[in-house]
């Protein structure tokens, strides 16, 4: 199991992606699934850094944990920013996704992509810590 | 690979070459290239993505920004994007709003 604490700033996103990519390679996840998991983690990490910490006037870390179970690769992001369950955000409807770009809302796509891209997603809030948990099925 | 967004004006076309990984940390560079292009009032925006290895939703937001500031009559072309980037465009409903081509012209 890998567990690494990374300062919560946008410049650290590439470090988070690199950790996830390494974890995927170690368990032999295929390229498409690796990209989907990496994108999902990047989107939620971006939200944590931007909304959970910076816009709330807070600072802290994002702790990235990667572990393999019998059937899944699990990536967990932990942070001490404001409480936020991504699942509570309204997802774009088919009608929204059909709109011309010039009529689009500028936000909301990140969480949508994140939750669509992984096989399993869970959120927990324990002792003032947010835990975003991503799972990919292993063949 | 470090991200870069290089703008070149060819006649009335704004051509931007995107390379590296496009995330929220660097999306401002892409937006800056779009803002420079807007000032030239292009008739077409062509985005070369052959060497773009990763694109987060921050990149999609810049595409929305481009369309909103260039106007609906300015067509956006996406050239040479890798499969996962195209998949992101498709999932977000962007594929029907841009012209996707393997090469250009």
């Amino acid at each position: 199991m890998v567990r690494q604490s990374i300062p919560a700033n946008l410049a650290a996103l590439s470090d988070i992606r690199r950790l996830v990519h390494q974890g995927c390679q170690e368990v032999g996840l295929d390229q498409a699934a690796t990209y989907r998991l990496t994108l999902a983690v990047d989107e939620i990490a971006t939200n944590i850094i931007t909304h959970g910490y910076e816009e709330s006037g807070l600072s802290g870390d994002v702790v990235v944990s990667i572990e393999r179970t019998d059937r899944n690769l699990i990536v967990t992001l932990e942070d001490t920013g404001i409480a936020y369950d991504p699942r509570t955000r309204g997802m774009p409807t088919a009608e929204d996704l059909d709109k011309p770009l010039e009529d689009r809302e500028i936000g909301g796509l990140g969480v949508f992509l994140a939750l669509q891209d992984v096989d399993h997603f869970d959120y927990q809030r324990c002792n003032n810590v947010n835990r975003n948990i991503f799972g990919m099925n292993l063949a | 690979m470090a991200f870069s967004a290089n703008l070149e004006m060819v006649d009335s076309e704004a051509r931007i070459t995107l390379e590296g990984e496009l995330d929220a940390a660097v999306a401002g560079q892409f937006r800056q290239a779009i803002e420079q292009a807007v000032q030239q009032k292009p008739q077409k925006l062509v985005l070369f993505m052959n060497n773009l290895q990763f694109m987060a939703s921050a990149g999609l937001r810049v595409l929305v920004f481009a369309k909103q500031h260039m106007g609906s009559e300015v067509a956006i072309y996406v050239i040479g994007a890798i499969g996962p980037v195209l998949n992101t465009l498709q999932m977000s409903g962007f594929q029907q709003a841009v012209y996707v081509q393997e090469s250009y012209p």
Side-chain angles (χ1 to χ4, degrees):
Chain A
M1 175 173 168
V2 173
R3 184 175 171 85
Q4 190 165 327
S5 188
I6 294 176
N9 57 65
L10 292 177
L13 286 171
S14 56
D15 293 332
I16 294 173
R17 291 198 300 273
R18 198 168 304 117
L19 274 178
V20 174
H21 194 268
Q22 282 171 3
C24 292
Q25 284 195 316
E26 284 170 13
V27 300
L29 208 62
D30 68 45
Q31 278 191 328
T34 296
Y35 189 97
R36 289 192 289 119
L37 177 59
T38 305
L39 178 61
V41 172
D42 178 273
E43 295 291 354
I44 297 298
T46 298
N47 269 15
I48 291 168
I49 293 165
T50 307
H51 304 302
Y53 283 119
E54 290 178 357
E55 288 176 1
S56 309
L58 300 171
S59 60
D61 293 331
V62 178
V63 179
V64 183
S65 303
I66 303 174
E67 63 180 318
R68 181 193 176 138
T69 65
D70 285 346
R71 295 183 176 181
N72 297 106
L73 178 66
I74 308 290
V75 176
T76 305
L77 299 182
E78 291 176 306
D79 69 271
T80 54
I82 58 165
Y84 178 65
D85 182 348
R87 297 171 302 184
T88 61
R89 185 181 176 102
M91 293 290 116
T93 62
E95 193 183 341
D96 293 331
L97 296 175
D98 228 18
K99 283 182 181 172
L101 292 193
E102 54 271 32
D103 297 335
R104 288 289 191 101
E105 296 288 333
I106 211 94
L109 281 172
V111 170
F112 170 73
L113 288 174
L115 301 193
Q116 295 285 314
D117 266 345
V118 289
D119 294 325
H120 313 279
F121 179 83
D122 195 15
Y123 168 85
Q124 300 165 356
R125 173 87 175 172
C126 301
N127 300 322
N128 295 322
V129 174
N130 297 303
R131 301 184 81 222
N132 288 276
I133 304 162
F134 309 78
M136 296 301 277
N137 298 334
L138 298 174
Chain B
M1 181 193 283
F3 176 75
S4 64
N6 293 311
L7 168 67
E8 180 189 17
M9 290 300 300
V10 179
D11 300 325
S12 58
E13 293 180 11
R15 298 182 178 186
I16 298 177
T17 302
L18 301 171
E19 294 186 340
E21 300 187 358
L22 174 47
D23 63 13
V26 298
Q29 293 178 46
F30 181 24
R31 184 176 161 131
Q32 219 167 24
I34 293 290
E35 284 170 344
Q36 288 170 2
V38 167
Q39 290 174 357
Q40 307 294 320
K41 301 190 187 324
Q43 291 177 2
K44 193 187 280 188
L45 172 63
V46 187
L47 302 170
F48 294 93
M49 296 191 179
N50 307 62
N51 293 315
L52 186 68
Q53 296 148 352
F54 176 83
M55 184 172 73
S57 63
L60 299 177
R61 285 194 289 277
V62 178
L63 290 180
V64 171
F65 174 84
K67 199 70 176 174
Q68 290 176 343
H69 286 76
M70 288 181 173
S72 56
E73 68 282 3
V74 176
I76 299 178
Y77 287 73
V78 168
I79 311 300
I82 62 171
V85 171
L86 281 181
N87 189 48
T88 300
L89 289 169
Q90 192 168 22
M91 280 175 65
S92 314
F94 279 49
Q95 209 172 20
Q96 58 203 11
V98 300
Y99 296 97
V100 175
Q101 296 179 190
E102 286 185 15
S103 61
Y104 187 84

